[in-house]
Amino acid sequence: MMATARLDVGLYLNLFRVQVPTDPMLFLGADRGLYPDLRPLRNGLAQCGKRVWVYAEGDEVYGYGEDCDLLRSKGFSETNVTLPDRPRLTSRMILEGFIDRVKQERYTPLERKGRCEVFNWTEYQSTSDGNVRLYRGFDLRSLFLKNRETDELAFGLIVDVTYTLQDQSNKPLNAHDIRERFGSKTFSEVRQIQGDLLPTGRINTEVARQRLLDHILPFVRRFPDFRLHCDITVSLHHEPTRIILGGEGR
């Protein structure tokens, strides 16, 4: 497969910077002591069918979303938040906002703790014998890093390729299942489709770079910006983070 994007020679991370505003913004906040466990509150809000989210950072619980006013009756009051000063809250909102955006493009999220996998279940590849379907998705995580020279925080999304395998009846498969049910030839073909093996059967040492070029960059470049649940739009940089190697001077 020909690459759909090009990068200069170098080492790259699958990390894409998200530019967030630095102006104070209005949130609702409550003392964490009122909600040591957020699950009952979140479950209650979900049952209401409203667009409101809560997240705890430090000794404060923050509420946001277009329907967050209903939190006023639950001990929340107005508070100003500067997003870079609440990095865990900001990282969480980046992941939530990006998930909402890709859902508009027919991706279904499978949330894990601190991360999310998204798949478009209408798109898959099959092995030549038709026994295995491969669904390629993306594993999403958000994080923040500190610039050691300026002490400023930078926010970003990590985007990795992930696969899930199913048989013709849409039942999940793993490597052992494929070998046992369909044989080693089908299993090798699965690994070739995933890019782990070359057609010659040898290990593909360039698989990470190929996935970045062929799949991750085209996916990320479909989304130049997206909205956070605090009703602001943030921009997503389309170039991955480049690693600069340096040595100790003499």
Side-chain angles (χ1 to χ4, degrees):
M1 178 184 294
M2 294 184 61
T4 56
R6 294 290 183 269
L7 289 175
D8 293 333
V9 175
L11 300 176
Y12 292 85
L13 297 176
N14 302 343
L15 172 62
F16 301 85
R17 186 168 180 178
V18 177
Q19 196 71 39
V20 301
T22 58
D23 297 330
M25 305 184 60
L26 192 64
F27 279 66
L28 292 181
D31 189 277
R32 183 62 196 270
L34 292 176
Y35 297 101
D37 183 355
L38 291 180
R39 286 174 295 183
L41 177 60
R42 285 173 171 159
N43 291 338
L45 294 172
Q47 292 174 3
C48 294
K50 301 294 186 180
R51 290 182 59 81
V52 55
W53 292 265
V54 291
Y55 187 83
E57 180 166 352
D59 58 1
E60 191 93 0
V61 178
Y62 296 97
Y64 49 96
E66 58 193 73
D67 298 319
C68 68
D69 277 350
L70 66 84
L71 293 173
R72 295 179 186 273
S73 63
K74 300 180 183 295
F76 285 73
S77 58
E78 293 182 359
T79 184
N80 285 320
V81 172
T82 302
L83 294 183
D85 293 341
R86 298 293 183 269
R88 290 175 177 79
L89 169 66
T90 302
S91 290
R92 179 60 192 174
M93 289 197 301
I94 287 172
L95 185 59
E96 292 170 339
F98 191 71
I99 291 170
D100 265 12
R101 178 65 184 89
V102 301
K103 284 168 64 177
Q104 298 172 21
E105 302 296 325
R106 304 178 72 180
Y107 283 91
T108 299
L110 302 176
E111 295 206 46
R112 313 282 190 251
K113 186 173 183 179
R115 64 200 303 165
C116 181
E117 294 179 352
V118 295
F119 291 91
N120 184 338
W121 298 117
T122 67
E123 298 178 353
Y124 62 88
Q125 290 178 266
S126 296
T127 53
S128 56
D129 58 13
N131 288 320
V132 181
R133 295 177 178 177
L134 295 88
Y135 295 85
R136 185 179 64 246
F138 298 93
D139 185 357
L140 309 174
R141 286 167 285 168
S142 58
L143 52 68
F144 58 92
L145 302 170
K146 177 176 282 190
N147 186 321
R148 295 178 62 182
E149 296 181 355
T150 65
D151 278 342
E152 294 180 347
L153 293 181
F155 296 88
L157 276 171
I158 294 178
V159 183
D160 287 313
V161 170
T162 186
Y163 287 90
T164 189
L165 311 175
Q166 297 180 2
D167 65 14
Q168 292 176 311
S169 301
N170 298 322
K171 293 182 179 179
L173 294 170
N174 57 37
H176 179 266
D177 296 332
I178 295 170
R179 287 195 190 96
E180 288 293 311
R181 293 176 57 184
F182 311 122
S184 59
K185 183 178 179 181
T186 297
F187 179 66
S188 294
E189 186 179 355
V190 167
R191 297 194 66 196
Q192 288 177 31
I193 294 173
Q194 292 176 331
D196 297 318
L197 293 182
L198 298 172
T200 60
R202 299 181 63 182
I203 293 176
N204 182 8
T205 59
E206 292 292 318
V207 61
R209 184 174 180 86
Q210 287 180 359
R211 286 175 177 172
L212 176 62
L213 287 170
D214 294 343
H215 306 308
I216 295 173
L217 289 183
F219 173 75
V220 170
R221 289 172 179 175
R222 292 168 60 186
F223 309 104
D225 53 47
F226 58 95
R227 293 190 70 77
L228 304 187
H229 291 155
C230 58
D231 199 28
I232 62 167
T233 299
V234 296
S235 59
L236 177 63
H237 290 207
H238 289 170
E239 296 302 317
T241 301
R242 188 172 185 180
I243 302 173
I244 300 176
L245 301 178
E248 184 178 352
R250 295 183 178 180

